[in-house]
Amino acid sequence: MRILGIETSCDETGVAIYDDQQGLLAHALYSQVKLHADYGGVVPELASRDHVRKLVPLVNEALAEAGLSRTDIDGVAYTAGPGLVGALLVGACAGRALAFAWGVPAVAVHHMEGHLLAPMLEPEAPKFPFVALLVSGGHTQLVRVDGIGRYQLLGESIDDAAGEAFDKTAKLMGLDYPGGPLLSKLAEQGDSGRFKFPRPMCDRPGLDFSFSGLKTFAANTIAEHGESAKADIARAFEDAVVDTLAIKCRRALEQTGLNRLVIAGGVSANRHLRAQLEALMAKRGGSVFYPRPEFCTDNGAMIAYAGLQRLKAGESESLSVRGMPRWPLDQLHAPGEKPA
């Protein structure tokens, strides 16, 4: 079965073709970073319009890369949420229309399920069950994963997501958009011992996160010490976020009794975070899994893979189109099962 996957939840247009026997056949991605850079963040209306402009050419590009025609496609998967509603509707309408025109089924995919399953695209994929850390600009969640569609939310951010805190702190430092990767690069030049930032919500039980206070702490530190301290502040901020994520991952593993950890989402590409979680799992005698860097951020390949699992189980969408800006992950069901 060959599936066309479409991702348009925010500011990246992703299209991919996945085959259940041959694996990933094609992957095309267009980022709108330059478009939104002048505004310091994503402008939803501009994002939607750019998805309209780029989506069909990317579908054609993916088909050409795979050496396929539309008659070789057995189904279409598209991101239905969560995300920016206008951007979601562009991908959903296009995906459903293509499926109708080609006479194949379509399936709506949860964006975070796509991220969670992205490590399955790698040669050494994790086996169920495992604990997953989903960490991106819009989400920071710890999830127990017993199988596809079998998710138990263990903890999440009560305010800013980790990636959002990175970007907002970078903006306070005057770094260009998107600031998170630039802050991490600046942190490499910093002295880890100069400033000590708090590890929020680590002094109490539980698996929830809070990162907005770190942004305020960084703002106060910048105001007090000025431009010359930016690299050291960036290092202290990144250390605090990474330590907090690692502490909560350790607690989640202890709570569940599991010893396999998956990290996914845009922040999972952070080298400092990967190194710390690898050290944690080595100490525990466990394993950590993550996707290659190009599949950490939003992409069509993860949507194609997640959609394939549900299409193979006989799931499909009606002709109506749905876009859900809010869609809790634990509302999903296993492929082929009826929703509760």
Side-chain angles (χ1 to χ4, degrees), residues 186-241:
L186 180 62
E188 294 175 2
Q189 307 168 28
D191 178 359
S192 62
R194 182 174 178 186
F195 298 110
K196 180 69 174 178
F197 279 35
R199 274 53 176 166
M201 298 187 72
C202 290
D203 59 349
R204 67 197 77 174
L207 296 174
D208 286 335
F209 303 90
S210 172
F211 294 109
S212 64
L214 280 177
K215 177 191 65 180
T216 303
F217 198 96
N220 293 336
T221 309
I222 293 168
E224 182 178 353
H225 295 276
E227 290 283 329
S228 61
K230 280 187 177 180
D232 298 333
I233 294 170
R235 179 62 184 271
F237 175 84
E238 183 178 60
D239 285 347
V241 173

Short mmCIF file of all heavy atoms in Angstrom, two decimals, residues 186-241:
data_model
loop_
_atom_site.label_atom_id
_atom_site.label_comp_id
_atom_site.label_asym_id
_atom_site.label_seq_id
_atom_site.Cartn_x
_atom_site.Cartn_y
_atom_site.Cartn_z
N LEU A 186 24.16 29.96 20.17
CA LEU A 186 24.80 30.95 21.04
C LEU A 186 25.23 30.31 22.36
O LEU A 186 26.29 30.64 22.91
CB LEU A 186 23.84 32.11 21.29
CG LEU A 186 24.33 33.26 22.17
CD1 LEU A 186 25.53 33.95 21.53
CD2 LEU A 186 23.20 34.26 22.41
N ALA A 187 24.41 29.38 22.86
CA ALA A 187 24.70 28.73 24.14
C ALA A 187 26.01 27.95 24.10
O ALA A 187 26.67 27.77 25.14
CB ALA A 187 23.55 27.81 24.53
N GLU A 188 26.41 27.48 22.92
CA GLU A 188 27.66 26.74 22.79
C GLU A 188 28.86 27.59 23.17
O GLU A 188 29.92 27.07 23.54
CB GLU A 188 27.81 26.20 21.37
CG GLU A 188 26.76 25.15 20.98
CD GLU A 188 26.88 24.74 19.53
OE1 GLU A 188 27.79 25.25 18.84
OE2 GLU A 188 26.06 23.90 19.08
N GLN A 189 28.72 28.91 23.07
CA GLN A 189 29.82 29.82 23.40
C GLN A 189 29.78 30.26 24.86
O GLN A 189 30.67 30.98 25.31
CB GLN A 189 29.74 31.06 22.50
CG GLN A 189 29.68 30.77 21.02
CD GLN A 189 29.32 32.00 20.20
OE1 GLN A 189 29.60 33.13 20.61
NE2 GLN A 189 28.68 31.79 19.06
N GLY A 190 28.73 29.86 25.59
CA GLY A 190 28.53 30.36 26.94
C GLY A 190 29.23 29.56 28.03
O GLY A 190 29.60 28.39 27.83
N ASP A 191 29.39 30.19 29.18
CA ASP A 191 29.97 29.57 30.37
C ASP A 191 28.83 28.98 31.21
O ASP A 191 27.96 29.70 31.69
CB ASP A 191 30.72 30.63 31.17
CG ASP A 191 31.33 30.09 32.46
OD1 ASP A 191 31.14 28.90 32.77
OD2 ASP A 191 31.98 30.88 33.18
N SER A 192 28.85 27.66 31.38
CA SER A 192 27.76 26.99 32.09
C SER A 192 27.72 27.32 33.58
O SER A 192 26.71 27.09 34.24
CB SER A 192 27.86 25.47 31.89
OG SER A 192 29.07 25.00 32.45
N GLY A 193 28.81 27.85 34.11
CA GLY A 193 28.86 28.09 35.55
C GLY A 193 28.54 29.51 35.98
O GLY A 193 28.44 29.79 37.18
N ARG A 194 28.35 30.41 35.02
CA ARG A 194 28.18 31.81 35.40
C ARG A 194 26.81 32.09 36.02
O ARG A 194 26.70 32.79 37.02
CB ARG A 194 28.40 32.72 34.20
CG ARG A 194 28.28 34.20 34.56
CD ARG A 194 28.63 35.10 33.41
NE ARG A 194 28.46 36.50 33.77
CZ ARG A 194 28.58 37.52 32.94
NH1 ARG A 194 28.91 37.29 31.66
NH2 ARG A 194 28.40 38.77 33.35
N PHE A 195 25.74 31.56 35.39
CA PHE A 195 24.39 31.79 35.89
C PHE A 195 23.72 30.45 36.21
O PHE A 195 23.96 29.45 35.54
CB PHE A 195 23.54 32.54 34.86
CG PHE A 195 24.05 33.91 34.52
CD1 PHE A 195 24.59 34.16 33.26
CD2 PHE A 195 24.01 34.93 35.44
CE1 PHE A 195 25.07 35.41 32.93
CE2 PHE A 195 24.49 36.21 35.12
CZ PHE A 195 25.03 36.44 33.87
N LYS A 196 22.87 30.47 37.21
CA LYS A 196 22.11 29.28 37.59
C LYS A 196 20.63 29.60 37.50
O LYS A 196 20.10 30.38 38.28
CB LYS A 196 22.47 28.84 39.02
CG LYS A 196 21.72 27.61 39.48
CD LYS A 196 22.16 26.34 38.75
CE LYS A 196 21.50 25.11 39.36
NZ LYS A 196 21.88 23.87 38.64
N PHE A 197 19.95 29.01 36.52
CA PHE A 197 18.52 29.20 36.35
C PHE A 197 17.75 28.11 37.10
O PHE A 197 18.27 27.00 37.27
CB PHE A 197 18.14 29.15 34.86
CG PHE A 197 18.38 30.43 34.11
CD1 PHE A 197 19.45 31.26 34.41
CD2 PHE A 197 17.53 30.81 33.10
CE1 PHE A 197 19.67 32.43 33.73
CE2 PHE A 197 17.74 31.99 32.39
CZ PHE A 197 18.81 32.81 32.71
N PRO A 198 16.53 28.38 37.53
CA PRO A 198 15.73 27.36 38.23
C PRO A 198 15.33 26.22 37.30
O PRO A 198 15.28 26.39 36.08
CB PRO A 198 14.51 28.13 38.72
CG PRO A 198 14.40 29.29 37.78
CD PRO A 198 15.80 29.67 37.41
N ARG A 199 15.06 25.06 37.89
CA ARG A 199 14.51 23.91 37.17
C ARG A 199 13.04 23.83 37.57
O ARG A 199 12.70 23.23 38.59
CB ARG A 199 15.23 22.61 37.54
CG ARG A 199 16.50 22.31 36.74
CD ARG A 199 17.52 23.43 36.72
NE ARG A 199 18.76 23.04 36.03
CZ ARG A 199 19.69 23.90 35.66
NH1 ARG A 199 19.53 25.20 35.90
NH2 ARG A 199 20.78 23.48 35.03
N PRO A 200 12.15 24.46 36.82
CA PRO A 200 10.77 24.64 37.27
C PRO A 200 10.01 23.34 37.48
O PRO A 200 10.09 22.41 36.68
CB PRO A 200 10.14 25.48 36.15
CG PRO A 200 11.03 25.27 34.97
CD PRO A 200 12.39 25.06 35.50
N MET A 201 9.29 23.30 38.60
CA MET A 201 8.40 22.19 38.98
C MET A 201 9.14 20.88 39.21
O MET A 201 8.53 19.81 39.24
CB MET A 201 7.28 22.00 37.95
CG MET A 201 6.37 23.19 37.81
SD MET A 201 4.94 22.92 36.74
CE MET A 201 3.94 21.83 37.76
N CYS A 202 10.46 20.97 39.42
CA CYS A 202 11.23 19.76 39.72
C CYS A 202 11.39 19.55 41.22
O CYS A 202 11.92 18.52 41.65
CB CYS A 202 12.61 19.82 39.06
SG CYS A 202 12.54 19.68 37.26
N ASP A 203 10.96 20.54 42.00
CA ASP A 203 11.06 20.45 43.46
C ASP A 203 9.80 19.89 44.09
O ASP A 203 9.61 19.97 45.30
CB ASP A 203 11.36 21.82 44.05
CG ASP A 203 10.29 22.86 43.71
OD1 ASP A 203 9.44 22.56 42.84
OD2 ASP A 203 10.31 23.97 44.29
N ARG A 204 8.94 19.29 43.27
CA ARG A 204 7.68 18.71 43.75
C ARG A 204 7.35 17.49 42.91
O ARG A 204 7.88 17.34 41.80
CB ARG A 204 6.55 19.75 43.63
CG ARG A 204 6.18 20.11 42.19
CD ARG A 204 5.40 21.39 42.08
NE ARG A 204 6.27 22.55 42.22
CZ ARG A 204 5.87 23.79 42.05
NH1 ARG A 204 4.60 24.04 41.73
NH2 ARG A 204 6.70 24.79 42.19
N PRO A 205 6.50 16.61 43.40
CA PRO A 205 6.15 15.42 42.61
C PRO A 205 5.37 15.81 41.36
O PRO A 205 4.83 16.91 41.25
CB PRO A 205 5.27 14.60 43.56
CG PRO A 205 5.52 15.15 44.92
CD PRO A 205 5.87 16.60 44.73
N GLY A 206 5.30 14.88 40.41
CA GLY A 206 4.49 15.11 39.23
C GLY A 206 5.31 15.19 37.96
O GLY A 206 6.54 15.31 37.99
N LEU A 207 4.61 15.15 36.83
CA LEU A 207 5.26 15.10 35.53
C LEU A 207 4.86 16.27 34.63
O LEU A 207 5.17 16.26 33.43
CB LEU A 207 4.93 13.77 34.83
CG LEU A 207 5.47 12.52 35.53
CD1 LEU A 207 4.96 11.26 34.84
CD2 LEU A 207 7.00 12.53 35.55
N ASP A 208 4.19 17.28 35.18
CA ASP A 208 3.85 18.45 34.39
C ASP A 208 5.05 19.39 34.29
O ASP A 208 5.99 19.33 35.09
CB ASP A 208 2.66 19.19 35.00
CG ASP A 208 1.34 18.47 34.77
OD1 ASP A 208 1.26 17.71 33.79
OD2 ASP A 208 0.40 18.67 35.56
N PHE A 209 5.00 20.28 33.30
CA PHE A 209 6.08 21.22 33.03
C PHE A 209 5.56 22.66 33.12
O PHE A 209 4.38 22.92 32.95
CB PHE A 209 6.64 21.02 31.61
CG PHE A 209 7.14 19.64 31.32
CD1 PHE A 209 6.29 18.67 30.80
CD2 PHE A 209 8.47 19.32 31.53
CE1 PHE A 209 6.75 17.40 30.51
CE2 PHE A 209 8.95 18.05 31.25
CZ PHE A 209 8.09 17.09 30.73
N SER A 210 6.49 23.58 33.34
CA SER A 210 6.18 25.01 33.26
C SER A 210 7.46 25.73 32.83
O SER A 210 8.49 25.61 33.49
CB SER A 210 5.72 25.54 34.62
OG SER A 210 5.59 26.95 34.58
N PHE A 211 7.38 26.46 31.71
CA PHE A 211 8.58 27.12 31.19
C PHE A 211 8.45 28.64 31.10
O PHE A 211 9.43 29.30 30.79
CB PHE A 211 8.93 26.54 29.81
CG PHE A 211 9.35 25.10 29.85
CD1 PHE A 211 8.52 24.11 29.34
CD2 PHE A 211 10.56 24.73 30.40
CE1 PHE A 211 8.90 22.78 29.39
CE2 PHE A 211 10.96 23.40 30.45
CZ PHE A 211 10.12 22.42 29.94
N SER A 212 7.27 29.18 31.35
CA SER A 212 7.12 30.63 31.20
C SER A 212 7.97 31.39 32.22
O SER A 212 8.47 32.49 31.93
CB SER A 212 5.65 31.03 31.34
OG SER A 212 5.16 30.75 32.63
N GLY A 213 8.14 30.82 33.41
CA GLY A 213 8.95 31.49 34.43
C GLY A 213 10.41 31.60 34.04
O GLY A 213 11.10 32.57 34.41
N LEU A 214 10.91 30.63 33.28
CA LEU A 214 12.30 30.69 32.82
C LEU A 214 12.50 31.88 31.88
O LEU A 214 13.55 32.52 31.88
CB LEU A 214 12.68 29.40 32.11
CG LEU A 214 13.04 28.20 32.98
CD1 LEU A 214 13.33 26.99 32.12
CD2 LEU A 214 14.23 28.51 33.86
N LYS A 215 11.48 32.14 31.06
CA LYS A 215 11.56 33.29 30.15
C LYS A 215 11.67 34.58 30.96
O LYS A 215 12.48 35.45 30.64
CB LYS A 215 10.33 33.30 29.26
CG LYS A 215 10.24 34.48 28.31
CD LYS A 215 8.86 34.54 27.67
CE LYS A 215 7.80 34.82 28.71
NZ LYS A 215 6.43 34.89 28.13
N THR A 216 10.86 34.70 32.01
CA THR A 216 10.91 35.89 32.86
C THR A 216 12.26 35.99 33.57
O THR A 216 12.84 37.08 33.67
CB THR A 216 9.78 35.84 33.90
OG1 THR A 216 8.53 35.73 33.22
CG2 THR A 216 9.78 37.08 34.77
N PHE A 217 12.76 34.86 34.05
CA PHE A 217 14.07 34.83 34.72
C PHE A 217 15.16 35.30 33.76
O PHE A 217 16.05 36.08 34.12
CB PHE A 217 14.36 33.43 35.24
CG PHE A 217 15.43 33.36 36.28
CD1 PHE A 217 15.11 33.35 37.62
CD2 PHE A 217 16.77 33.29 35.92
CE1 PHE A 217 16.11 33.28 38.61
CE2 PHE A 217 17.78 33.24 36.87
CZ PHE A 217 17.44 33.23 38.22
N ALA A 218 15.07 34.83 32.50
CA ALA A 218 16.05 35.23 31.49
C ALA A 218 15.95 36.73 31.21
O ALA A 218 16.97 37.42 31.08
CB ALA A 218 15.83 34.43 30.21
N ALA A 219 14.72 37.25 31.11
CA ALA A 219 14.52 38.67 30.85
C ALA A 219 15.14 39.53 31.95
O ALA A 219 15.81 40.55 31.66
CB ALA A 219 13.03 38.97 30.72
N ASN A 220 14.94 39.12 33.19
CA ASN A 220 15.52 39.87 34.31
C ASN A 220 17.04 39.80 34.31
O ASN A 220 17.73 40.79 34.61
CB ASN A 220 14.98 39.32 35.63
CG ASN A 220 13.49 39.60 35.81
OD1 ASN A 220 12.94 40.53 35.21
ND2 ASN A 220 12.82 38.80 36.61
N THR A 221 17.57 38.64 33.95
CA THR A 221 19.03 38.47 33.91
C THR A 221 19.64 39.29 32.79
O THR A 221 20.71 39.90 32.95
CB THR A 221 19.40 36.98 33.74
OG1 THR A 221 18.71 36.19 34.71
CG2 THR A 221 20.89 36.78 33.93
N ILE A 222 18.97 39.34 31.64
CA ILE A 222 19.44 40.17 30.51
C ILE A 222 19.43 41.64 30.92
O ILE A 222 20.38 42.39 30.64
CB ILE A 222 18.55 39.95 29.27
CG1 ILE A 222 18.72 38.52 28.73
CG2 ILE A 222 18.88 40.96 28.18
CD1 ILE A 222 17.67 38.13 27.70
N ALA A 223 18.37 42.08 31.58
CA ALA A 223 18.26 43.48 32.00
C ALA A 223 19.36 43.86 32.99
O ALA A 223 19.87 44.98 32.96
CB ALA A 223 16.89 43.73 32.62
N GLU A 224 19.74 42.90 33.82
CA GLU A 224 20.75 43.18 34.86
C GLU A 224 22.17 43.15 34.31
O GLU A 224 23.01 43.97 34.71
CB GLU A 224 20.61 42.17 35.99
CG GLU A 224 21.59 42.41 37.14
CD GLU A 224 21.42 41.42 38.28
OE1 GLU A 224 20.44 40.63 38.22
OE2 GLU A 224 22.25 41.43 39.20
N HIS A 225 22.45 42.23 33.37
CA HIS A 225 23.84 42.01 32.95
C HIS A 225 24.15 42.46 31.53
O HIS A 225 25.32 42.54 31.15
CB HIS A 225 24.20 40.53 33.11
CG HIS A 225 24.18 40.05 34.52
ND1 HIS A 225 25.26 40.21 35.37
CD2 HIS A 225 23.20 39.45 35.26
CE1 HIS A 225 24.96 39.71 36.56
NE2 HIS A 225 23.72 39.24 36.52
N GLY A 226 23.12 42.72 30.73
CA GLY A 226 23.34 43.33 29.42
C GLY A 226 23.85 42.41 28.33
O GLY A 226 23.91 41.18 28.49
N GLU A 227 24.24 43.05 27.22
CA GLU A 227 24.61 42.36 25.99
C GLU A 227 25.78 41.39 26.19
O GLU A 227 25.81 40.31 25.61
CB GLU A 227 25.00 43.39 24.92
CG GLU A 227 23.84 44.21 24.40
CD GLU A 227 22.99 43.42 23.42
OE1 GLU A 227 23.53 42.55 22.72
OE2 GLU A 227 21.78 43.69 23.36
N SER A 228 26.76 41.77 26.99
CA SER A 228 27.98 40.98 27.10
C SER A 228 27.74 39.60 27.74
O SER A 228 28.58 38.72 27.61
CB SER A 228 29.03 41.73 27.93
OG SER A 228 28.54 41.98 29.25
N ALA A 229 26.59 39.44 28.38
CA ALA A 229 26.32 38.18 29.08
C ALA A 229 25.39 37.27 28.30
O ALA A 229 25.00 36.20 28.80
CB ALA A 229 25.71 38.48 30.45
N LYS A 230 25.02 37.62 27.07
CA LYS A 230 23.99 36.87 26.35
C LYS A 230 24.35 35.40 26.15
O LYS A 230 23.50 34.52 26.28
CB LYS A 230 23.69 37.54 25.02
CG LYS A 230 22.77 38.74 25.15
CD LYS A 230 22.35 39.26 23.78
CE LYS A 230 21.37 40.41 23.92
NZ LYS A 230 20.95 40.94 22.60
N ALA A 231 25.58 35.11 25.79
CA ALA A 231 25.96 33.72 25.56
C ALA A 231 25.86 32.91 26.84
O ALA A 231 25.39 31.75 26.83
CB ALA A 231 27.38 33.64 24.99
N ASP A 232 26.28 33.48 27.94
CA ASP A 232 26.19 32.78 29.23
C ASP A 232 24.74 32.60 29.66
O ASP A 232 24.38 31.56 30.24
CB ASP A 232 26.96 33.56 30.31
CG ASP A 232 28.45 33.67 30.00
OD1 ASP A 232 28.97 32.78 29.29
OD2 ASP A 232 29.07 34.65 30.46
N ILE A 233 23.91 33.59 29.38
CA ILE A 233 22.48 33.48 29.70
C ILE A 233 21.83 32.41 28.84
O ILE A 233 21.03 31.60 29.32
CB ILE A 233 21.78 34.84 29.52
CG1 ILE A 233 22.32 35.85 30.54
CG2 ILE A 233 20.27 34.70 29.65
CD1 ILE A 233 21.87 37.27 30.28
N ALA A 234 22.18 32.38 27.56
CA ALA A 234 21.64 31.35 26.66
C ALA A 234 22.03 29.96 27.16
O ALA A 234 21.21 29.03 27.14
CB ALA A 234 22.15 31.57 25.24
N ARG A 235 23.27 29.81 27.60
CA ARG A 235 23.73 28.52 28.11
C ARG A 235 22.96 28.12 29.36
O ARG A 235 22.51 26.97 29.50
CB ARG A 235 25.23 28.57 28.40
CG ARG A 235 25.81 27.27 28.96
CD ARG A 235 25.66 26.10 27.99
NE ARG A 235 26.12 24.85 28.57
CZ ARG A 235 27.37 24.41 28.49
NH1 ARG A 235 28.29 25.14 27.85
NH2 ARG A 235 27.71 23.27 29.05
N ALA A 236 22.77 29.07 30.27
CA ALA A 236 22.05 28.77 31.51
C ALA A 236 20.59 28.43 31.23
O ALA A 236 20.03 27.52 31.85
CB ALA A 236 22.13 29.97 32.46
N PHE A 237 19.99 29.14 30.28
CA PHE A 237 18.60 28.86 29.92
C PHE A 237 18.47 27.47 29.31
O PHE A 237 17.61 26.68 29.70
CB PHE A 237 18.10 29.92 28.93
CG PHE A 237 16.71 29.63 28.41
CD1 PHE A 237 15.60 30.01 29.13
CD2 PHE A 237 16.53 28.97 27.21
CE1 PHE A 237 14.31 29.74 28.67
CE2 PHE A 237 15.26 28.69 26.72
CZ PHE A 237 14.15 29.07 27.46
N GLU A 238 19.33 27.16 28.33
CA GLU A 238 19.25 25.84 27.70
C GLU A 238 19.51 24.73 28.70
O GLU A 238 18.82 23.70 28.70
CB GLU A 238 20.24 25.74 26.54
CG GLU A 238 20.15 24.42 25.79
CD GLU A 238 21.11 24.34 24.62
OE1 GLU A 238 22.33 24.45 24.86
OE2 GLU A 238 20.65 24.17 23.48
N ASP A 239 20.49 24.91 29.57
CA ASP A 239 20.78 23.91 30.60
C ASP A 239 19.55 23.65 31.47
O ASP A 239 19.24 22.51 31.82
CB ASP A 239 21.95 24.35 31.48
CG ASP A 239 23.29 24.22 30.78
OD1 ASP A 239 23.35 23.57 29.72
OD2 ASP A 239 24.28 24.76 31.32
N ALA A 240 18.84 24.72 31.84
CA ALA A 240 17.67 24.59 32.70
C ALA A 240 16.56 23.82 32.01
O ALA A 240 15.93 22.94 32.61
CB ALA A 240 17.17 25.97 33.13
N VAL A 241 16.30 24.14 30.73
CA VAL A 241 15.26 23.44 30.00
C VAL A 241 15.61 21.96 29.83
O VAL A 241 14.79 21.07 30.08
CB VAL A 241 15.02 24.10 28.63
CG1 VAL A 241 14.05 23.26 27.80
CG2 VAL A 241 14.47 25.50 28.79
#
